[in-house]
């Protein structure tokens, strides 16, 4: 079981990293377009605010979360737009305050949850530590979009090991999002963290292997960079196929990024 205290500390630090990018932005810069088509910086923060609001509710009030989930549309994108709408209606200074409140509330609720008690979520209940890791993945992906819009290169730390572990836990999502059947055998992952530490997952004798940079792996599974622009290699036909469809989140894959789009900045 992943240590909940470790996840809470990492989630808090990652939230602070995103906050620093937008804390002193002039109002006009909240309207900057990000690499996600149709999404400004305000959209990115509104989405994170809505996501953390939902996580906080799930961890603190299961009945209220169930009532909310029962009203969701089968249209994933429509749900996202609806959840963001109230936040987007506010001016940047109010949105910033709301983002901080939702983030802090979710982290507090997750920290207070019994580590061995499942928290209701959109598809399946999750341990609070795993839901916190999902929050880290959201912060990584949407934070990268904000960084790209502002021309910032985020500094990565070994905290991303938790995002790597979450992405490997959810390695079948890319298949499921496309109506494909995941292969039966597990992959082998050998990834180098920002400190140079080697992190390994999966059976050593797997015929399918992913190797390279852990930070680039996180960019791959959040679909913030095209595989051609990343320091990652695949061995085995299924691993090579997976590199094209990898994602660590439920729902539609989105447009992703094009080859060469960020080659000079990654």
């Amino acid at each position: 079981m992943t240590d909940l205290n470790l996840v809470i500390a990492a989630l808090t630090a990652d939230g602070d990293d995103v906050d620093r990018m937008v804390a002193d932005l002039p109002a006009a810069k909240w309207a900057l377009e990000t690499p996600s088509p149709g999404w400004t910086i305000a959209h990115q923060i509104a989405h994170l605010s809505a996501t953390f609001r939902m996580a906080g509710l799930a961890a603190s009030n299961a009945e209220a979360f169930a009532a909310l989930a029962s009203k969701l549309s089968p249209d994933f994108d429509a749900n996202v737009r609806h959840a963001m709408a109230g936040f987007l209606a506010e001016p940047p200074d109010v949105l910033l305050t709301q983002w901080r409140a939702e983030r802090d509330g979710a982290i507090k609720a997750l920290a207070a949850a019994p580590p061995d008690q499942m928290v209701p979520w959109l598809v399946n209940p999750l341990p609070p530590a795993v839901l916190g890791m999902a929050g880290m993945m959201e912060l990584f992906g949407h934070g990268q979009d904000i960084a790209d819009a502002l021309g910032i290169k985020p500094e990565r730390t070994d905290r991303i090991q938790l995002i790597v572990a979450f992405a490997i836990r959810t390695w079948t999502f890319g298949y499921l999002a496309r109506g494909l059947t995941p292969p039966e055998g597990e992959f082998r992952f050998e990834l180098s963290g920002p400190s140079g530490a080697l992190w390994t997952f999966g059976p050593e004798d797997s015929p399918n292997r992913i190797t390279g940079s852990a930070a680039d792996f996180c960019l791959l599974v959040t679909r913030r960079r095209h595989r051609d622009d990343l320091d990652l290699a695949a061995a085995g036909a299924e691993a090579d196929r997976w590199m094209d469809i990898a994602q660590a989140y439920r729902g539609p894959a989105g447009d992703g990024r094009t080859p060469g789009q960020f080659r000079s900045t990654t």
Side-chain angles (χ1 to χ4, degrees):
M1 180 184 295
T2 304
D3 184 86
L4 179 57
N5 291 329
L6 177 66
V7 172
I8 293 300
L11 180 63
T12 301
D14 285 358
D16 289 343
D17 284 348
V18 170
D19 193 275
R20 277 190 289 272
M21 289 193 290
V22 299
D24 298 318
L25 278 185
K29 286 201 171 183
W30 284 75
L32 284 176
E33 293 289 330
T34 70
S36 295
W39 282 42
T40 64
I41 289 176
H43 284 82
Q44 301 289 347
I45 294 297
H47 176 72
L48 287 171
S49 300
T51 300
F52 275 76
R53 172 180 287 181
M54 192 175 295
L57 185 64
S60 63
N61 190 330
E63 290 185 1
F65 176 80
L68 172 66
S70 69
K71 299 176 183 177
L72 294 177
S73 161
D75 186 331
F76 181 89
D77 290 333
N79 290 330
V80 171
R81 291 192 298 270
H82 177 74
M84 292 167 56
F87 294 105
L88 284 172
E90 301 294 350
D93 59 332
V94 176
L95 175 54
L96 178 63
T97 299
Q98 290 178 328
W99 142 246
R100 289 170 170 169
E102 300 298 349
R103 179 194 69 201
D104 293 348
I107 291 173
K108 182 178 179 180
L110 287 168
D116 58 351
Q117 180 174 304
M118 302 295 275
V119 175
W121 198 233
L122 298 174
V123 179
N124 296 309
L126 297 173
V130 175
L131 187 52
M133 292 158 71
M136 291 180 65
M137 182 271 297
E138 292 283 341
L139 288 166
F140 184 99
H142 295 285
Q144 184 65 53
D145 285 339
I146 294 169
D148 288 334
L150 295 173
I152 296 171
K153 185 173 182 178
E155 291 187 15
R156 304 302 183 190
T157 74
D158 279 5
R159 294 195 305 268
I160 65 170
Q161 185 176 13
L162 292 167
I163 303 174
V164 171
F166 179 79
I168 291 171
R169 179 189 180 100
T170 60
W171 73 280
T172 61
F173 281 6
Y175 295 97
L176 300 176
R178 295 162 177 80
L180 303 173
T181 301
E184 293 185 3
E186 294 182 40
F187 293 179
R188 173 71 170 179
F189 298 90
E190 298 177 355
L191 303 167
S192 298
S195 70
L198 178 64
W199 303 329
T200 61
F201 304 83
E204 292 185 21
D205 60 350
S206 173
N208 289 289
R209 185 177 302 258
I210 306 291
T211 59
S213 160
D216 282 7
F217 180 81
C218 293
L219 289 167
L220 178 78
V221 299
T222 55
R223 297 182 62 79
R224 263 51 187 193
R225 295 291 186 271
H226 191 274
R227 62 177 290 182
D228 290 356
D229 297 340
L230 298 174
D231 178 19
L232 294 170
E238 196 59 51
D240 186 68
R241 179 194 189 199
W242 183 83
M243 288 267 284
D244 288 328
I245 64 172
Q247 66 182 76
Y249 52 89
R250 286 281 192 175
D255 295 327
R257 304 293 177 262
T258 57
Q261 186 176 356
F262 295 98
R263 190 166 293 157
S264 64
T265 60
T266 301

